[in-house]
């Protein structure tokens, strides 16, 4: 009897949540169609501009989400210029736009920073630095709440015109690498009760990142050993080369050893003549 009551409770809650809101638009950026643990069906990315990347699949895990939802944060679309998506929003009501992000490439803050603009007028996310917020390999969602009424979009105390029944979400190119997005979901209805990511466990996130870094270092060592063997194998048996999340960037924290020794050589060059002059005196 107890098990029956528990089942009915879960079933009724699921039905209530499903009826409480409606998914208007959902895509798995840079990836194929997928249904998440919350029941939302994400369509295959329809965009062709920029680069579709699955580089996040190199990570052993994605923090804050279940294994079923990891793929939503492992694939992404990035571009060397500003890019965006057109979303249908022609019905009056309350909306929330869920933007899913995960840093899968950089290992430090201030490497990838960009803005997000809604409908051409509203800066809904400013100076987004994913690594600075949650670290590497950890899910991060941005929830953008707005309303639509009589052909206008209202965000906080601002408004803008909706043209042809669609609004546009844009990821703005800045000075620090390329803008990106992992997945998008536009939801209408009781938006306050949509499923959200659990609170960030800083300690667990740090441990997970340390494990990932350690495993990647071991994998790099193993790849060096196996590289000679892979040359002898047919190309079909070699590992798939994944597109990186952004261009290869020079490490800003590494310095050329010769440049580090240059001040020492200059100092010695000035000190030896001075010492010789002192000895003459």
């Amino acid at each position: 009897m107890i098990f029956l009551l528990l089942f009915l409770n879960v079933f009724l809650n699921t039905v209530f949540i499903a009826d409480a809101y409606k998914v208007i638009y959902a895509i798995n950026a840079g990836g194929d169609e997928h249904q998440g643990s919350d029941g939302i069906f994400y369509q295959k990315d329809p965009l062709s501009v920029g680069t579709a990347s699955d580089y996040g699949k190199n990570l052993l895990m994605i923090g804050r989400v279940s294994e079923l939802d990891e793929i939503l944060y492992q694939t992404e679309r990035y571009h060397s210029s500003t890019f965006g998506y057109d979303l249908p929003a022609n019905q009056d009501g309350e909306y929330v736009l869920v933007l899913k992000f995960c840093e899968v490439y950089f290992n430090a803050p201030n490497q990838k920073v960009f803005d997000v603009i809604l409908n051409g007028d509203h800066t809904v996310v400013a100076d987004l630095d994913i690594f600075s917020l949650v670290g590497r390999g950890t899910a991060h969602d941005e929830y953008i709440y707005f309303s639509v009424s009589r052909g206008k979009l209202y965000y906080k105390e601002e408004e803008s015109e909706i043209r042809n029944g669609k609004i546009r979400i844009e990821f703005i190119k800045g000075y620090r690498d390329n803008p990106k997005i992992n997945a998008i979901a536009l939801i209408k209805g009781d938006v306050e009760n949509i499923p959200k990511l659990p609170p960030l466990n800083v300690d667990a996130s740090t441990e997970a990142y340390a494990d990932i870094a350690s495993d990647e270092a071991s994998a790099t060592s193993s790849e060096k050993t196996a590289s000679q063997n892979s040359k002898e194998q047919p190309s079909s048996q070699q590992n798939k080369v994944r597109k990186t999340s952004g261009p290869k960037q020079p490490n800003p924290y590494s310095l050329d050893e010769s440049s580090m020794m240059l001040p020492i050589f200059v100092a010695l060059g000035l000190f030896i003549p001075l010492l010789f002059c002192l000895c003459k005196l």
Side-chain angles (χ1 to χ4, degrees):
M1 185 65 178
I2 296 177
F3 292 105
L4 178 60
L5 291 175
L6 289 174
F7 172 78
L8 288 175
N9 182 50
V10 173
F11 175 77
L12 291 175
N13 285 336
T14 303
V15 171
F16 173 76
I17 292 174
D19 291 340
Y21 64 81
K22 179 182 179 181
V23 179
I24 304 298
Y25 181 91
I27 59 105
N28 179 24
D32 296 324
E33 61 184 30
H34 179 76
Q35 186 168 15
S37 61
D38 54 7
I40 296 178
F41 181 78
Y42 294 82
Q43 297 179 357
K44 181 180 180 179
D45 190 352
L47 212 61
S48 58
V49 301
T51 302
S53 170
D54 62 350
Y55 189 75
K57 290 183 178 179
N58 288 323
L59 300 182
L60 298 180
M61 61 168 289
I62 301 296
R64 295 180 81 181
V65 295
S66 66
E67 185 176 355
L68 179 62
D69 292 331
E70 286 184 349
I71 189 63
L72 296 174
Y73 298 89
Q74 290 173 323
T75 61
E76 64 183 41
R77 181 170 295 280
Y78 69 88
H79 195 16
S80 58
S81 182
T82 295
F83 73 102
Y85 294 80
D86 293 319
L87 316 177
N90 54 3
Q91 299 179 0
D92 291 358
E94 301 293 326
Y95 291 80
V96 61
L97 180 61
V98 184
L99 305 176
K100 297 183 178 293
F101 299 97
C102 182
E103 181 53 68
V104 300
Y105 181 69
F106 289 110
N107 296 316
N110 206 36
Q111 302 298 296
K112 181 188 289 292
V113 183
F114 58 94
D115 294 342
V116 182
I117 292 182
L118 178 63
N119 211 34
D121 293 324
H122 315 289
T123 301
V124 293
V125 186
D127 296 326
L128 177 61
D129 186 341
I130 306 167
F131 187 96
S132 179
L133 294 173
V134 297
R136 185 174 181 228
T138 301
H140 172 70
D141 288 0
E142 292 282 347
Y143 304 93
I144 315 302
Y145 296 91
F146 64 92
S147 62
V148 171
S149 178
R150 298 182 179 181
K152 289 188 177 182
L153 182 150
Y154 295 89
Y155 172 73
K156 295 184 177 180
E157 298 180 357
E158 303 173 350
E159 66 178 61
S160 60
E161 296 286 339
I162 298 177
R163 299 178 181 178
N164 301 321
K166 292 186 177 182
I167 60 176
R168 186 165 179 82
I169 186 70
E170 292 182 290
F171 307 94
I172 309 302
K173 169 69 176 180
Y175 293 103
R176 300 181 183 90
D177 202 67
N178 302 315
K180 60 171 275 184
I181 180 64
N182 292 82
I184 299 175
L186 178 62
I187 300 171
K188 179 179 180 293
D190 187 12
V191 294
E192 295 295 335
N193 293 318
I194 64 168
K196 296 181 179 180
L197 290 178
L200 179 65
N201 186 330
V202 178
D203 294 335
S205 177
T206 303
E207 291 175 2
Y209 171 65
D211 291 340
I212 292 172
S214 176
D215 290 332
E216 287 182 346
S218 300
T220 302
S221 177
S222 299
E223 287 173 1
K224 291 180 179 179
T225 305
S227 60
Q228 296 179 350
N229 295 332
S230 63
K231 294 179 181 179
E232 300 175 358
Q233 296 177 353
S235 58
S236 61
Q237 297 181 6
Q238 296 182 9
N239 292 334
K240 177 183 177 182
V241 178
R242 303 190 184 281
K243 295 180 180 178
T244 59
S245 173
K248 291 288 186 180
Q249 299 286 339
N251 186 349
Y253 302 105
S254 65
L255 296 174
D256 189 353
E257 292 183 358
S258 60
S259 63
M260 295 178 63
M261 295 296 295
L262 183 59
I264 299 176
F265 293 145
V266 172
L268 288 175
L270 294 175
F271 176 73
I272 292 176
L274 179 60
L275 181 62
F276 180 77
C277 291
L278 291 176
C279 292
K280 285 287 188 178
L281 296 176

